[in-house]
Amino acid sequence: MGVVPRREAVRGARHAVAALMSRWGIGDEVRFRVELIVSELLTNAVQHASPGPGGEIGLYLASDGGGVFVEVEDGGSTEASLFASFAVGAVGDGESEHGRGLLLVEELGRGRWGWRRLGNGHRVVWAYVSLVESRGAR
């Protein structure tokens, strides 16, 4: 789905994601975690990136029966350092202006997230939320 790169569009996308997961029969806990991940990734894309394909931010969800996969594609930005600094642990010290949303994605996805740069310069950030781990302890 395409999301208009405006803050107010994030809420609508989150509601659409919740409705889709309800149709898939995804439980409340996983649905809540995925909704938060979608909010964080879309908000980051709205704040820090240029629009992706068609002037929108791309949002893709899939369920493989074992979990829910989320992918957000934007047009990329000059702020790749936001991700690079997270990867080396430079954010999350409580003092950083950016990066706390990615810490939330890290926690909600139980460490299953990442990003990659596409050949066209666009950036894709992804996260995977397992259904099994949500039912018990980590």
Side-chain angles (χ1 to χ4, degrees):
M1 105 174 33
V3 178
V4 178
R6 293 192 317 254
R7 286 189 81 111
E8 58 272 13
V10 173
R11 183 177 184 191
R14 185 173 171 166
H15 290 302
V17 164
L20 177 62
M21 287 189 297
S22 288
R23 287 194 303 273
W24 287 347
I26 303 294
D28 291 343
E29 182 185 342
V30 171
R31 188 168 51 236
F32 176 74
R33 289 171 53 205
V34 170
E35 285 179 55
L36 283 177
I37 287 171
V38 165
S39 285
E40 290 299 328
L41 295 181
L42 286 176
T43 299
N44 279 349
V46 167
Q47 290 178 343
H48 303 291
S50 58
E56 296 180 321
I57 298 165
L59 174 62
Y60 172 78
L61 267 80
S63 177
D64 63 4
V68 178
F69 181 75
V70 178
E71 195 171 80
V72 172
E73 179 183 349
D74 61 51
S77 75
T78 59
E79 296 196 37
S81 61
L82 178 69
F83 295 103
S85 62
F86 184 86
V88 297
V91 292
D93 57 7
E95 302 298 320
S96 300
E97 185 67 25
H98 301 292
R100 281 169 263 161
L102 293 176
L103 289 172
L104 182 60
V105 170
E106 168 84 13
E107 181 62 26
L108 293 169
R110 307 279 200 254
R112 293 184 182 113
W113 79 280
W115 70 282
R116 67 186 181 282
R117 180 92 45 204
L118 301 178
N120 61 4
H122 294 185
R123 177 180 49 224
V124 173
V125 185
W126 62 268
Y128 183 81
V129 178
S130 174
L131 298 176
V132 176
E133 286 183 11
S134 298
R135 293 187 191 118
R138 286 205 251 177

